[in-house]
Amino acid sequence: MKYNIIPVKWSDEGVLMLDQRLLPTEEKWLTLKTYDEVAAGIKDMVVRGAPAIGVSAAYGIALGAKNFVGTTVADLEDEIGYISEVLAATRPTAVNLFWAIDRMNRTFQAAKADGKSVSEIKEILKTDALAIHDEDIESQRLIAQFGGELLGDNDTVLTHCNAGALATGGVWGTALGVIRGAVDQGKNISVIADETRPYLQGARLTAWELMEDDIPVTLITDNMSGHIMKKGSIQAVVVGSDRIAANGDVANKIGTYMVAVLAKRHGIPFYVAAPLSTVDLNTPTGDEIPIEERDRIEVTHVKGHQLAPEGVGITNYAFDVTPNDLVTAIITEKGVARAPYTESLKKQFED
Ligand code: MRU
């Protein structure tokens, strides 16, 4: 297996992040030495993509604990509570962020209940953050395997945004994991990548990482997919997700809903690939998923170049929700869930 993109890493010097804002023209690694820097890295999109945000938050807590200079477990608990709040305030939609923060807090509570010392707890938190990262990569490997089986030889797959190694703990990715899995199974797959305005994750990141792995990719603007589907050139759509509600409604990058409607119209399967850390059984339907709104400048400007008249009204939703009836299947590390999702997703947590 040749895949090796890992966007975030733990090191003795701090948390290392590949600065995704600069890709594809520059590959620069940042060393983040404090939890505030990790939080800023998430907020400012140095790292992005739901599972990658979760892994980064876990490292942020481990780093904050490592840097803690107090001596009592009670003070460390306060510090971790504060760090968790700072990290939780970075981005609202990707539930992996809150999942990872919760898990690290549960790990802290278990260590405290076991009577561990401050230095022991620091080590335990670091070990758990590393485990979250390893488990995420293993989940993507299984998603790749299960999802790869859904694709046929010589299929052309449309994807939206970047749900690749860059958006996860690394190596496989979710949607791109499915594609890598099919390629690994010996299938000839080519990809059509939506550029994904306004932040251009498809153009900048998906195109880059597929080219790194020698998987054929063609870039299109977001408004071309209907025409290409109508021509019969796409056999499957595969996307990732930032949060899947208990009923199978899927929040993902803005524009995903449009693609799902088009796929339905053209009888093309619409697959969602995501680890169970993206499935939020506490959110009953997509209507309750908080949708991030981002700065107007992402719409009015590209790389500092002004595209729209000064002062024009702007809406910049970062995500939308695809209703579950447009979703052919949800691929997780536990297998392929199909409608009714309220039952099939719940069952995956129980298995
Ligand atoms: O705003 P972003 O770049 O963090 O949005 C990312 C996406 O929408 C991805 O499709 C999603 O997180 C799934 S990543 C495996």
Side-chain angles (χ1 to χ4, degrees):
M1 195 219 8
K2 59 189 185 312
Y3 312 134
N4 58 13
I5 297 168
I6 296 185
V8 56
K9 296 176 185 170
W10 177 266
S11 81
D12 288 344
E13 286 72 48
V15 175
L16 309 179
M17 278 184 192
L18 176 60
D19 192 343
Q20 299 192 30
R21 298 169 303 183
L22 304 178
L23 288 172
T25 47
E26 205 180 326
E27 284 175 49
K28 183 175 167 192
W29 285 85
L30 303 181
T31 305
L32 310 179
K33 293 184 185 293
T34 66
Y35 72 84
D36 300 291
E37 288 179 12
V38 173
I42 296 171
K43 200 174 177 58
D44 300 343
M45 309 278 275
V46 174
V47 71
R48 31 64 52 203
I53 290 171
V55 170
S56 302
Y59 281 149
I61 291 178
L63 184 62
K66 183 183 167 201
N67 292 343
F68 173 71
V69 290
T71 51
T72 69
V73 172
D75 284 350
L76 178 57
E77 182 168 17
D78 287 349
E79 179 74 353
I80 287 174
Y82 181 70
I83 294 169
S84 299
E85 278 173 27
V86 170
L87 288 164
T90 52
R91 299 193 70 191
T93 304
V95 76
N96 306 62
L97 172 69
F98 308 99
W99 174 90
I101 292 170
D102 278 358
R103 170 154 156 186
M104 292 294 283
N105 275 270
R106 276 187 275 113
T107 299
F108 171 83
Q109 288 303 334
K112 181 183 155 196
D114 277 356
K116 301 291 184 196
S117 67
V118 166
S119 59
E120 285 169 331
I121 294 177
K122 289 181 177 189
E123 205 52 35
I124 288 167
L125 289 173
K126 178 182 121 181
T127 303
D128 198 39
L130 288 165
I132 286 174
H133 195 172
D134 285 348
E135 288 164 26
D136 185 68
I137 294 175
E138 175 60 8
S139 293
Q140 322 302 333
R141 188 184 71 77
L142 292 166
I143 288 169
Q145 194 177 310
F146 292 128
E149 283 161 17
L150 298 173
L151 301 182
D153 195 17
N154 296 318
D155 275 1
T156 297
V157 178
L158 179 87
T159 190
H160 191 73
C161 192
N162 172 265
L166 288 169
T168 63
V171 184
W172 299 92
T174 55
L176 298 194
V178 168
I179 289 156
R180 287 186 169 103
V183 170
D184 244 30
Q185 289 160 13
K187 291 170 195 163
N188 184 24
I189 304 287
S190 49
V191 179
I192 293 187
D194 282 344
E195 66 173 348
T196 319
R197 273 279 287 156
Y199 207 73
L200 300 172
Q201 290 94 331
R204 296 188 303 104
L205 308 176
T206 297
W208 177 80
E209 70 164 87
L210 289 174
M211 289 176 79
E212 286 285 300
D213 283 349
D214 293 325
I215 296 174
V217 55
T218 301
L219 181 65
I220 61 169
T221 59
D222 297 326
N223 46 5
M224 290 183 191
S225 53
H227 176 68
I228 294 175
M229 286 187 196
K230 192 152 165 273
K231 277 159 56 82
S233 307
I234 292 170
Q235 283 70 52
V237 175
V238 189
V239 297
S241 174
D242 291 83
R243 190 184 300 225
I244 299 173
N247 71 345
D249 290 348
V250 171
N252 191 48
K253 181 52 54 193
I254 193 75
T256 303
Y257 174 42
M258 261 171 19
V259 175
V261 171
L262 282 168
K264 183 78 158 187
R265 159 84 190 188
H266 295 288
I268 298 168
F270 180 89
Y271 298 119
V272 177
L276 285 182
S277 53
T278 302
V279 178
D280 181 7
L281 295 185
N282 294 321
T283 297
T285 76
D287 292 343
E288 292 84 43
I289 297 176
I291 300 295
E292 179 181 9
E293 290 184 61
R294 296 183 56 82
D295 199 287
R296 56 178 279 121
I297 200 161
E298 292 179 357
V299 178
T300 56
H301 290 65
V302 171
K303 295 250 173 218
H305 180 76
Q306 187 176 335
L307 306 173
E310 200 74 45
V312 66
I314 294 291
T315 305
N316 187 12
Y317 291 111
F319 302 97
D320 60 26
V321 175
T322 299
N324 57 24
D325 61 303
L326 299 178
V327 177
T328 309
I330 297 174
I331 307 148
T332 77
E333 66 272 34
K334 292 287 180 71
V336 179
R338 292 187 192 263
Y341 293 106
T342 309
E343 284 152 42
S344 58
L345 289 175
K346 190 157 163 274
K347 186 163 181 311
Q348 291 209 346
F349 279 93
E350 290 159 2
D351 283 350

